[in-house]
Amino acid sequence: MKPLTRIAGVACPLGLANVDTDQLIPARFMKRPRSEGYGSFLLHDLRRDESGAERPDFPLNREPWRSAPILVARRNFGSGSSREAAVYALADHGFDAVIAPTFGDIFASNAVKNGVLPAVLGEEDVEDLLAALAATPDLPVTVDLAAQTVSWGNRAASFAIDPVWREQLLNGWDDIDVTRSFAGDIRRYRTALDHDRPWANPSSGGSP
């Protein structure tokens, strides 16, 4: 994954609560390979009508939000089933961060594993940000992961994230990289174990 430190640009005000993973990507689109991209299916049944045409009033279908790197939603974003494809759809569409008061636990974990920041911002701050975006659609928004702040206009608010997830995103680490970051501690432990309990290690060869 690429390191994620600072995201700046317009922010799309989704403004919906309880957006679940089935809404993020309906199950019927999950048969195709990830290599073909899932971005066009993001929020498909909300973005499009029965004929497949875009709903012109839906935020993701409007300028300047079509290519926004930041999505802003209300509480309980990513609830429901544990489908990782919901995060694939967000990432493939181009979102680097989602701001909401609360997230589904599994969704948030999957987001970090795929390089998408789930920024937990207070409910009042989210409402202020949504109102600001409604008034000024192209308002610049900055999400600073190192400082754990979201900034817009003359406002700045702190957001929460698990410290391990923060480190993973800042460094572009997956779970294996996190383990490798403790390589020195692991080597020291093994050296001490070899010294204190040599009988615990398998024989390197030879006859019993």
Side-chain angles (χ1 to χ4, degrees):
M1 297 189 302
K2 66 178 181 180
L4 195 65
T5 55
R6 190 171 180 270
I7 306 156
V10 295
C12 179
L14 182 59
L16 298 176
N18 303 310
V19 175
D20 63 32
T21 53
D22 188 56
Q23 290 172 302
L24 287 169
I25 183 165
R28 65 186 183 276
F29 298 121
M30 292 169 54
K31 296 179 181 179
R32 66 185 290 159
R34 170 74 193 281
S35 60
E36 294 182 12
Y38 280 27
S40 61
F41 305 126
L42 177 65
L43 294 163
H44 183 278
D45 294 348
L46 295 174
R47 291 179 66 185
R48 299 179 182 275
D49 62 22
E50 292 77 8
S51 70
E54 289 186 348
R55 302 179 192 272
D57 58 340
F58 193 76
L60 268 68
N61 298 333
R62 297 173 56 190
E63 296 295 347
W65 300 322
R66 281 184 176 274
S67 57
I70 303 164
L71 184 66
V72 186
R74 290 190 166 99
R75 60 181 13 259
N76 203 28
F77 188 88
S79 56
S81 66
S82 59
R83 64 185 66 172
E84 194 168 7
V87 179
Y88 297 165
L90 284 161
D92 291 351
H93 188 277
F95 286 113
D96 292 318
V98 180
I99 298 169
T102 58
F103 290 92
D105 290 341
I106 297 175
F107 169 86
S109 176
N110 286 336
V112 172
K113 294 179 192 303
N114 287 276
V116 176
L117 166 62
V120 177
L121 192 65
E123 204 147 13
E124 290 186 6
D125 291 322
V126 167
E127 293 302 324
D128 287 349
L129 177 54
L130 288 170
L133 294 171
T136 310
D138 60 350
L139 179 70
V141 177
T142 299
V143 181
D144 188 326
L145 179 55
Q148 287 186 226
T149 59
V150 179
S151 304
W152 67 95
N154 60 358
R155 288 285 315 278
S158 298
F159 68 85
I161 184 171
D162 179 281
V164 175
W165 291 353
R166 176 178 177 271
E167 186 174 21
Q168 282 186 262
L169 290 168
L170 284 171
N171 291 283
W173 286 348
D174 60 20
D175 288 347
I176 294 175
D177 293 322
V178 172
T179 301
R180 286 175 176 160
S181 73
F182 293 100
D185 294 333
I186 294 170
R187 282 194 298 270
R188 286 188 288 275
Y189 173 80
R190 292 186 63 179
T191 298
L193 189 66
D194 288 344
H195 178 270
D196 296 338
R197 302 172 65 188
W199 49 267
N201 292 322
S203 171
S204 60
S207 302

